[in-house]
Amino acid sequence: MALRAPRGTEDLLPEAYANWKFLTERADEIFSRYGYLYIETPLFEHLDVFVHGIGESSDVVSKEMFRVLSPDGYSKVAAGKAESLKADQRLALRPEGTASVVRAVLEHSLIMPGSAPIKLMYSGPMFRAERQQRGRLRQFHQIGAECLGAPDVMADAEVIIMLMEFFERAGLKKDSLTLLINTLGDDNCRPQYRQEIQDYLLKYKDELPEETLRQAELNPLRAFDSKIERVQEIMADAPLLKDRLCDECKKHYEELKSYLDAAGISYEEDPRLVRGLDYYTRTVFEIQVKDGLGAQNAIGGGGRYDKLIEISGGKPTPALGFAVGMERILLALEDQEALPAHPRQKQIYVAYPNEHTKAEAFFVVQRLRSEGFVVETDYQGRSLKSQLKLANKLQVAYVAILGEDEIAQKSVRLKDMDKGTEELVAYDNLAAHIVL
Ligand code: AMP
């Protein structure tokens, strides 16, 4: 059997890499203006980072994590002794970035008493054992940003504005996106509401599938996210948190909206938006593309997670962030025919007629490269005629021919392929002659 990439993974081929680079550069350009600096965390972490950081009730933790085993750990599992794995042998590929960033920030004590908010951005692969579909992969890539230490609602607004600016700069049409916002309350108002939803769900106990009953136990709000039709019907009549918010949360949410209004950002309020992860408090948001991506139409989302740092062992630190899916943004750009063109850098082809001139050609190739040009030459023993044909096919800007006569004069015969002109140019004058 021919070897293939694993299901749910994609090779990033050179052609697509330019789009990739384009996206990360746009993120870098926009986010850095807001003070974000890059962080890179390991692709795998201790399992507990995600179990504590994301929450046991989330699909990501309960069903989708890829475990990582060292050879020792593998032997234990293969021998049916998984329970004897030590804590540091229980590892998982990261399914998202926030929990890892928080772990790194705490490990390196980046938040000191009295310090300004820490603003960090990242990009890279994430891993979830999901069923593959268009826009849903098992290894996918996110760009994310986390702002730690900012309780003010201005930070919520700023993060959303920055994200919308990024989508626009990436080339997505403004009216093709829907920004959904909601608030999930805080420790004051959410516990009573959580209880209310749990009681509400348990009224339908006999009709609920196992999975929803488990959710009802661990995080009943997640039932709003359910894909199961009967659960959706039940949740359509469920009480909403927006009618139960405490004054502080109400104020926070109203202020968020007024900042977004002032910035001219359109949004839709979705009182049922809870998002899949357990750690959010107050603001949550999601950006969807209106057409094309079907069920996988969320291109990014995030929210405030004021409790996460404390849960992870740090001092209580209000924080918020988001992540966007690179593959989905690129699919949306493709659907909108908005992918940028990436013209290749213009090249010079150094052609030589035979073995005797090869060493000198090699010298000229290297010299031109050291002068900053993109240079190709022949490595296949082609005839001069066939080299010139190839250069034409490559649409190079110049061909530099190095025959014996030219070499004797420390010169090349430089053909300007656009103008169709040709002249003898000394090596020393080449750089000045080439106009790209
Ligand atoms: P989440 O971490 O689940 O909030 O996801 C943030 C963003 O990552 C989503 O809005 C998607 O754009 C993207 N994403 C999440 N899961 C996948 C996946 N399995 N395949 C591709 N993109 C994904």
Side-chain angles (χ1 to χ4, degrees):
M1 193 186 75
L3 294 178
R4 303 181 73 98
R7 190 154 47 95
T9 69
E10 279 177 352
D11 294 310
L12 183 60
L13 301 178
E15 197 74 0
Y17 186 77
N19 293 327
W20 209 263
K21 195 156 160 251
F22 165 79
L23 268 196
T24 45
E25 281 173 1
R26 294 295 74 74
D28 192 18
E29 173 192 325
I30 306 283
F31 300 175
S32 61
R33 269 193 244 148
Y34 287 78
Y36 285 80
L37 299 173
Y38 262 106
I39 182 167
E40 192 149 332
T41 58
L43 298 195
F44 62 93
E45 296 265 0
H46 290 129
L47 187 72
D48 287 347
V49 168
F50 307 119
V51 174
H52 293 150
I54 303 175
E56 248 170 306
S57 78
S58 65
D59 284 354
V60 165
V61 167
S62 62
K63 301 190 220 154
E64 297 169 359
M65 269 202 300
F66 282 103
R67 309 301 170 101
V68 176
L69 289 171
S70 65
D72 272 359
Y74 179 77
S75 305
K76 284 187 182 166
V77 172
K81 292 187 182 141
E83 71 289 349
S84 68
L85 288 174
K86 297 196 193 82
D88 68 354
Q89 288 180 311
R90 287 201 303 270
L91 304 166
L93 289 179
R94 63 181 190 192
E96 56 105 62
T98 306
S100 306
V101 169
V102 165
R103 194 269 309 138
V105 163
L106 293 177
E107 185 170 338
H108 302 285
S109 308
L110 296 187
I111 310 174
M112 296 303 251
S115 72
I118 310 283
K119 296 177 175 180
L120 298 169
M121 60 183 288
Y122 59 84
S123 73
M126 305 294 162
F127 306 86
R128 296 183 194 174
E130 298 193 86
R131 257 212 327 214
Q132 190 187 357
Q133 293 178 19
R134 185 170 190 254
R136 197 209 268 169
L137 294 157
R138 298 186 135 199
Q139 176 179 322
F140 58 99
H141 295 75
Q142 288 186 336
I143 298 175
E146 316 290 348
C147 172
L148 314 172
D152 199 288
V153 65
M154 211 167 76
D156 304 46
E158 186 183 278
V159 152
I160 295 176
I161 293 166
M162 175 174 94
L163 179 55
M164 299 313 281
E165 203 179 323
F166 162 69
F167 285 135
E168 196 175 340
R169 190 74 184 87
L172 287 168
K173 297 192 179 69
K174 228 178 173 169
D175 58 6
S176 71
L177 303 180
T178 309
L179 164 65
L180 301 173
I181 61 167
N182 190 24
T183 176
L184 294 180
D186 66 3
D187 273 356
N188 266 328
C189 48
R190 197 164 55 189
Q192 290 101 296
Y193 177 69
R194 183 185 183 281
Q195 187 63 52
E196 196 177 346
I197 291 291
Q198 192 169 55
D199 295 344
Y200 175 81
L201 275 169
L202 291 179
K203 278 199 290 187
Y204 297 90
K205 176 159 100 228
D206 299 337
E207 297 177 57
L208 294 178
E210 187 69 23
E211 181 186 326
T212 315
L213 282 173
R214 206 174 88 89
Q215 264 174 4
E217 194 61 41
L218 288 168
N219 186 351
L221 268 61
R222 294 272 338 273
F224 280 113
D225 253 353
S226 177
K227 304 278 177 291
I228 302 160
E229 209 178 322
R230 182 61 192 132
V231 180
Q232 284 175 354
E233 280 166 16
I234 292 171
M235 294 314 284
D237 294 324
L240 295 173
L241 179 56
K242 75 179 174 58
D243 304 318
R244 310 283 193 274
L245 290 175
C246 63
D247 289 345
E248 277 298 300
C249 285
K250 214 180 277 174
K251 181 164 167 272
H252 191 270
Y253 188 51
E254 291 308 317
E255 280 180 13
L256 169 68
K257 289 188 283 180
S258 68
Y259 275 113
L260 294 179
D261 290 337
I265 303 276
S266 8
Y267 54 86
E268 274 177 30
E269 292 178 66
D270 179 354
R272 292 187 168 75
L273 179 73
V274 291
R275 298 198 27 83
L277 315 178
D278 285 0
Y279 51 57
Y280 291 114
T281 47
R282 292 193 173 163
T283 309
V284 283
F285 52 92
E286 185 163 293
I287 297 87
Q288 301 180 343
V289 278
K290 289 180 181 146
D291 297 310
L293 290 179
Q296 316 308 320
N297 64 350
I299 54 169
R304 188 168 265 289
Y305 48 88
D306 287 350
K307 308 298 288 175
L308 179 60
I309 296 174
E310 200 180 343
I311 294 169
S312 309
K315 299 222 166 60
T317 309
L320 71 169
F322 62 78
V324 302
M326 293 179 71
E327 285 83 359
R328 289 194 196 168
I329 298 174
L330 290 170
L331 283 173
L333 284 169
E334 198 181 312
D335 286 348
Q336 297 180 15
E337 293 180 4
L339 278 174
H342 304 288
R344 278 190 77 165
Q345 221 181 322
K346 296 218 170 123
Q347 298 182 27
I348 301 167
Y349 193 96
V350 173
Y352 57 94
N354 54 44
E355 278 294 310
H356 306 299
T357 51
K358 188 159 85 177
E360 190 76 2
F362 182 69
F363 161 78
V364 171
V365 166
Q366 287 306 106
R367 175 168 175 161
L368 282 171
R369 285 182 182 146
S370 71
E371 286 171 333
F373 299 106
V374 181
V375 190
E376 272 306 340
T377 189
D378 176 59
Y379 311 94
Q380 298 164 307
R382 288 169 192 259
S383 68
L384 183 62
K385 197 168 153 204
S386 133
Q387 288 177 47
L388 296 179
K389 241 171 139 177
L390 180 66
N392 221 355
K393 212 165 119 196
L394 292 174
Q395 297 183 316
V396 300
Y398 290 90
V399 177
I401 303 168
L402 269 160
E404 281 162 35
D405 290 350
E406 285 85 15
I407 291 174
Q409 299 174 66
K410 292 274 168 224
S411 301
V412 305
R413 188 156 302 281
L414 190 68
K415 262 182 100 164
D416 182 323
M417 301 298 274
D418 285 337
K419 295 194 191 132
T421 53
E422 200 178 295
E423 58 186 319
L424 192 70
V425 182
Y427 298 163
D428 288 341
N429 299 334
L430 261 177
H433 256 79
I434 293 171
V435 185
L436 294 177

